[in-house]
Structures are given as C-alpha cells and as structure tokens.
C-alpha cells in the first residue's frame, strides 16, 4: 500500500501521552529516556503525569509531542519491521511535526530534534510579549478569503505596524490567522462580513507562523547551522511549499522559513492524494490530522496510531 506518515503539531498534547507505550514496549521507554537525557529534564514524567499547565508550555509541548511520535516509530521498527524505504512514501509534519517527521525518517538525531524543539519553543515565546499576539480560527472561509480578511484587518489599524496574516491553511473552510491581538480581533469582526460561519480566538501564548516570529526564525537559523541533518529516508512534504524535499540544505532553509510562513496543510494533503497515496497514518498523540485528512481528501484512508493497540493494528497491516 502507498502510505504516508504524518506528525501532529502543538495542541495535540495531553497528560498521559506516551504512558501506555512506555509500559508496553521497551523500545518506547528507551526513546523517552533518550529524550530526557538530551534535555537534562524528566520530560517523560511531565508527559505521563503532568501537571497540564507545565506540559502545555510551548517549550515542553513541542519536544513532548516529538517524543510521543518517535516512540511509536521506534516500536514499529523494532516490533513490526518498519522499513521506511518499503513502507513509507512520504513524511509530513504539522509545524513542529516537521522535526518529528525528520527524526522518524533518520534525517535528524533524536537528541538534536529534542534540543531544537526546546529552543524553538523558547524562542517563539520570547519573540512577542505575552498578551500582545494572538491567533484565531476562521471557520467557513477558504484561504484566499482569509488572506483578504487578514489584509483588511492589518490596513484598518490605527497603528500601521500591526500585523495580521494567514498562519495555517488547515482544511477547506478552516483557516487560522495570526498577529497582533488587536489586528486579529479586527479580523474576527471582518470575517463575519465575508461569510465566516464562526471565528474563535485560540488558546495560544504566541502568534505562531506570523512575521512577528522573525526573531525566533533567526534563532532557529543559528541553531540549525550547528546541527547535522541528513537526507530523510522518505521525502518530506514541506509546510512552506507543500512539495517534497530531500536535500538537507534545502530542508534547513525551509525549517527556518516555516517559523513565520503559512503551514500549507490542505495543499500538502492534496499533493499526497495526487501522487497516489492510499493511506495516511497519524503517528503520535491525538487525531487532529486524521480528521483534517478525511475532510481534505475523503478518498484516502486515514488512521491514528498512538496507543499500544493501534500500534499492534498497524504492525499487522505492514
């Protein structure tokens, strides 16, 4: 079967994530220990037992989600004989999930991926003071309409340095905008006039994937420059281009751009459909991406694999 692995982004974290895998599979336990050692932090304890307030901090949630995804992959390799060359056509990650995808496909060492995501979360939070930035989901608008809303919200501000931009094109009728809080609030009001069914502020601590995150992009450029990155065993469909890439230098450049650019998830899934991918497997915690895939490309089978039972079921299908 032509199959792609996809890796979730921030928001999918939950207390208890990975606990069942660690109890059931030694390979998962070893992966969590490796991440803990790389960060000099008992991240796995935070994942298993909380508290939720600490797990949801960006600098913890990002490496935690990567660890949960990588634990699944390591079990699939050890218990199920997963071979990326034979079993996986493409890897795709939603925002931070690109680092999970690259580590899963052996382009990044696990410790490097964990440290990069820790730094990425810290840099994103530092880029904009808490309370100044915001994000909102515009439900019922396509990406082009959302871009018009964001542009109008930017131009309507008294302070012309304010920014509102499309951050995520997640699925038909589900687009996220990001920027200065007052500009995002204006976008919510303007979106109604453009036919949005509903618009809601998102519970995030920074305006991700907006030009306001430029300082974080600079920090990631410096950090990535110090890390070895190899060609992934399966091509990465990049958030920035919605096209496959394997060249390590190009991947690094796109990872830097991704901090401030639109996550082109809808287009990425359509690309997979156009290549003949028959099944998309969400690897790790949650089912957000599985739901989006079903909306974007109903002809593709989609499943989530994050629990021991789900891992066993996929092993049977490999």
């Amino acid at each position: 079967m032509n199959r792609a692995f996809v890796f979730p982004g921030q928001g999918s974290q939950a207390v208890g994530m990975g606990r069942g895998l660690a109890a059931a599979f030694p390979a998962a336990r070893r992966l969590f220990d490796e991440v803990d050692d790389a960060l000099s932090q008992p991240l796995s304890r935070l994942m298993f037992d909380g508290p939720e307030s600490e797990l949801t901090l960006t600098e913890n949630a990002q490496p935690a989600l990567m660890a949960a995804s990588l634990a699944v992959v390591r079990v699939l390799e050890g218990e199920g004989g997963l071979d990326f060359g034979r079993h996986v056509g493409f890897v795709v990650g939603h925002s931070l999930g690109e680092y999970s995808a690259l580590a899963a496909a052996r382009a990044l060492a696990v410790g490097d991926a964990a440290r990069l995501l820790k730094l990425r979360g810290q840099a994103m939070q530092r880029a904009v003071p808490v309370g100044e930035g915001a994000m909102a989901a515009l439900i019922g608008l396509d990406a082009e309409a959302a871009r018009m809303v964001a542009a109008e919200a930017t131009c309507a501000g008294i302070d012309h340095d304010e920014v509102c931009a499309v951050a995520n094109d997640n699925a038909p009728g589900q687009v996220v905008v990001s920027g200065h809080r007052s500009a995002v609030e204006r976008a919510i009001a303007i979106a109604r006039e453009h036919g949005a069914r509903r618009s809601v502020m998102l519970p995030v601590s920074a305006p991700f994937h907006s030009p306001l995150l430029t300082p974080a992009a600079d920090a990631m450029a410096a950090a990535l420059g110090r890390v070895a990155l190899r060609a992934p065993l399966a091509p990465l469909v990049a958030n920035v281009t919605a096209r496959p890439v394997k060249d390590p230098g190009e991947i690094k450049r796109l990872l830097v751009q991704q901090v401030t650019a639109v996550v082109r998830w809808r287009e990425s899934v359509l690309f997979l459909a156009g290549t003949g991918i028959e099944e998309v497997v969400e690897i790790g915690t949650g089912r957000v991406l599985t739901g989006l895939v079903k909306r974007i490309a109903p002809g593709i089978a989609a499943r989530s694999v994050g629990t021991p039972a789900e891992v066993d079921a996929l092993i049977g299908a490999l």
Side-chain angles (χ1 to χ4, degrees), residues 158-185:
I158 296 173
D159 183 349
H160 292 291
D161 290 332
E162 288 185 342
V163 167
C164 181
V166 171
N168 301 343
D169 178 9
N170 281 333
Q174 187 186 123
V175 183
V176 174
V177 295
S178 180
H180 287 100
R181 176 169 293 275
S182 54
V184 172
E185 289 170 344

Side-chain angles (χ1 to χ4, degrees), residues 93-153:
H94 194 285
S95 191
L96 78 90
E98 288 204 315
Y99 291 81
S100 309
L102 290 166
R106 304 290 180 168
L108 264 179
V110 172
D112 286 338
R115 287 185 289 267
L116 284 168
L117 285 172
K118 183 80 172 180
L119 184 150
R120 184 177 184 266
Q122 292 169 336
M124 285 178 156
Q125 192 60 70
R126 283 197 303 265
V128 181
V130 174
E132 288 191 13
M135 300 179 75
L138 310 182
I139 309 301
L141 296 185
D142 62 21
E144 185 55 40
R147 277 190 282 271
M148 292 172 59
V149 167
E152 190 174 336

